[in-house]
Amino acid sequence: RIAGLAYVLLVLLVLLAPLPLGSNREWSWSLAAALTGLVGMVWLLAGFVRPMIVSPYLHPLIPLLFLLALAWVVLQASSLTPGAWAHPLWSMAGETLGEPLAGRISLAPQDSWAALMRLVSYALVFLLALQLGREERRARTVFGWLTVAGLAYAVFGLAVYWGGFHPGWLFGDTIMGHDLRSTFVNRNHFATWQGLTILCALAYFYQRMSRPETRPYAVPKDREEQVEAFVLKAWKPMIALLLMVTALVLTHSRGGFVAAVAGAATLLWLLDRRLAARPGRGRRTFSRVTAGTALVVASIAFFLTSEVLLDRINRTDITAEERVAVFGNIQRAIGDNPALGFGYGTFADSFRLYDQNEGPVHYDRAHNTWLENAFELGVPAALLLYGALVGVAMTCWRGVRRRHRDWVYPATGIAAAVLVGTHAMVDFSVQIPAVAMLFALILGIASAQSFSSLKT
């Protein structure tokens, strides 16, 4: 019961994280990190009351790579490194102030500690989901709640967008553009979050529709009865999917939409690929009809609401994008300091040394998380962090290939990784706490379901 309580608290925390502007404020991400630690303590208490088996199937290299990356962040923010590793700005600042300063690799150690706190809290969400999500019943329930949450935030966003009113209790006096953003300040961040919930909705819908009925002495149904039963069972999920896709399209986020399409295409491809390898033509046909129905509903939502989005995509000129010049400056900075980096979480301050754009806007985010991590951590440590993420994705791939049932969950994990990884090339949505926590929860459940619970 205590472990079940920890799981409920974890899911509630992830579901409520988007409410305070995506938890992208100091007080909200600090509160989210503290509550995540509290949930972890509840889980440890459950282990003391009744010993639990810690999932041993995650390859030990994955946590090792992640812990090495964390250790490097600690070294960057501390004064334990050799003096030759410290950034020259520390000695220059000491000379200006007339007093010696302890040199560090990080140019803003307090920002590095704050970023480390957020990263550890995301890792704890993943770990808790990995340990507590091994039962298929729990995984199915969580995906159902994520679908409901995605629908709720989508309906709120649609009401604000079509109603034309400004929720002052949420955004204050800040004037927002006419784009759907729900409870997020940035439409791109909500697009990524909504895309992840759409993947969960597709997986939940597929599991619900493809699960065979186990009633004894059931009379076989003719085709008309099967169609009627399908419609009665599918209309609620289809309406939810219609509204969620509509909300995604009305964000007018080009990168968010393309990333969501990439994630959904990956999920549908994995489902179809796995079905093709399974016996039973009738069940394969039924599952493909289910996936096809979801695709048709999503296409209808796109057709009805995509005018502004398509116009933005048609007017896109990559060579004229200012962020392309930013990417070039970041690559030059990485070339100047490829091994040590400038300090995790310090991009907003460190990039001022290389920001040569003539525009009045200062980029406090790289709009490319892959490059930003290499800039802050240095290439070796960034590769360690990426290696851990790739290891989790490979765990899910193993689950898709080897599991005889419930492989839709690891397939969703792979699709979520594709969605987030694609959008991370042009934006920084995964650095928003609410998005990162949802991503970690999905990956944790997907990894837990990559192995049979009978073996744990």
Side-chain angles (χ1 to χ4, degrees):
R1 291 181 179 178
I2 299 178
L5 174 62
Y7 201 54
V8 170
L9 293 176
L10 176 67
V11 176
L12 283 176
L13 176 61
V14 175
L15 295 183
L16 295 177
L19 270 180
L21 304 178
S23 295
N24 193 33
R25 296 295 184 268
E26 290 186 9
W27 70 267
S28 54
W29 74 52
S30 301
L31 178 61
L35 292 177
T36 304
L38 180 62
V39 175
M41 294 175 63
V42 174
W43 176 68
L44 290 176
L45 176 62
F48 284 114
V49 173
R50 182 179 180 181
M52 297 179 295
I53 300 176
V54 178
S55 178
Y57 295 104
L58 200 63
H59 196 284
L61 186 60
I62 297 175
L64 176 61
L65 292 175
F66 183 75
L67 290 175
L68 288 175
L70 292 185
W72 178 246
V73 175
V74 172
L75 285 177
Q76 283 184 318
S78 68
S79 57
L80 302 176
T81 54
W85 291 11
H87 196 279
L89 280 181
W90 286 102
S91 60
M92 296 170 61
E95 293 175 0
T96 302
L97 296 174
E99 59 182 67
L101 296 177
R104 291 175 173 84
I105 297 174
S106 175
L107 290 178
Q110 67 280 2
D111 292 337
S112 295
W113 291 118
L116 178 63
M117 176 191 67
R118 295 195 298 270
L119 183 60
V120 171
S121 67
Y122 308 151
L124 184 55
V125 171
F126 171 81
L127 176 63
L128 291 171
L130 175 68
Q131 301 303 325
L132 297 171
R134 287 178 288 172
E135 296 181 13
E136 193 277 336
R137 174 180 57 84
R138 285 182 175 176
R140 185 173 69 253
T141 301
V142 171
F143 271 49
W145 277 109
L146 291 177
T147 302
V148 172
L151 175 62
Y153 285 104
V155 169
F156 173 77
L158 289 171
V160 172
Y161 181 83
W162 283 329
F165 65 89
H166 180 80
W169 59 270
L170 183 63
F171 299 119
D173 297 330
T174 304
I175 302 300
M176 298 294 183
H178 191 56
D179 305 298
L180 196 147
R181 65 192 75 242
S182 191
T183 59
F184 290 76
V185 173
N186 192 301
R187 62 186 178 185
N188 300 302
H189 305 160
F190 176 66
T192 303
W193 191 92
Q194 185 76 95
L196 290 173
T197 59
I198 288 175
L199 295 182
C200 295
L202 289 172
Y204 180 74
F205 173 63
Y206 177 85
Q207 280 289 79
R208 180 181 179 184
M209 299 302 298
S210 63
R211 183 175 297 275
E213 297 183 2
T214 57
R215 294 183 299 176
Y217 311 110
V219 179
K221 299 178 181 179
D222 57 24
R223 177 166 296 183
E224 292 183 359
E225 291 177 332
Q226 290 178 355
V227 171
E228 181 182 359
F230 179 86
V231 172
L232 291 175
K233 199 175 182 180
W235 72 272
K236 290 181 181 180
M238 287 298 97
I239 290 178
L241 184 63
L242 178 68
L243 293 173
M244 293 165 70
V245 173
T246 300
L248 172 66
V249 174
L250 290 178
T251 62
H252 306 146
S253 171
R254 297 165 295 179
F257 174 75
V258 171
V261 169
T266 300
L267 177 59
L268 294 177
W269 175 76
L270 288 172
L271 295 179
D272 185 74
R273 181 181 183 275
R274 182 60 194 267
L275 286 172
R278 297 184 66 186
R281 182 177 178 180
R283 188 169 182 181
R284 288 202 304 270
T285 302
F286 181 79
S287 299
R288 286 174 177 172
V289 168
T290 301
T293 304
L295 188 60
V296 169
V297 170
S299 300
I300 292 173
F302 175 77
F303 176 77
L304 294 176
T305 58
S306 61
E307 181 179 357
V308 176
L309 176 62
L310 290 177
D311 181 64
R312 291 196 72 221
I313 293 176
N314 291 333
R315 290 188 289 105
T316 300
D317 183 4
I318 298 297
T319 59
E321 290 281 339
E322 187 178 18
R323 69 184 67 186
V324 175
V326 174
F327 295 164
N329 294 333
I330 296 173
Q331 291 174 353
R332 183 166 59 87
I334 295 174
D336 290 345
N337 192 10
L340 300 178
F342 294 86
Y344 187 58
T346 67
F347 183 87
D349 295 321
S350 303
F351 186 62
R352 296 181 186 275
L353 301 173
Y354 294 89
D355 191 359
Q356 298 180 351
N357 292 336
E358 297 180 356
V361 178
H362 168 66
Y363 279 74
D364 58 355
R365 301 283 188 178
H367 289 264
N368 185 318
T369 305
W370 303 98
L371 284 178
E372 184 169 330
N373 284 332
F375 173 90
E376 294 177 343
L377 292 171
V379 176
L383 291 178
L384 292 175
L385 183 61
Y386 299 155
L389 293 174
V390 170
V392 173
M394 293 303 297
T395 300
C396 295
W397 175 254
R398 180 185 184 276
V400 173
R401 293 187 58 190
R402 297 191 178 186
R403 287 220 64 181
H404 296 291
R405 63 179 185 179
D406 302 330
W407 40 267
V408 68
Y409 299 110
T412 307
I414 296 175
V418 170
L419 188 156
V420 170
T422 301
H423 203 192
M425 292 189 292
V426 293
D427 214 296
F428 55 95
S429 296
V430 72
Q431 297 170 247
I432 304 303
V435 178
M437 293 173 69
L438 176 60
F439 182 47
L441 178 68
I442 294 174
L443 281 186
I445 293 176
S447 300
Q449 290 297 316
S450 297
F451 305 91
S452 174
S453 59
L454 298 177
K455 298 179 180 181
T456 58

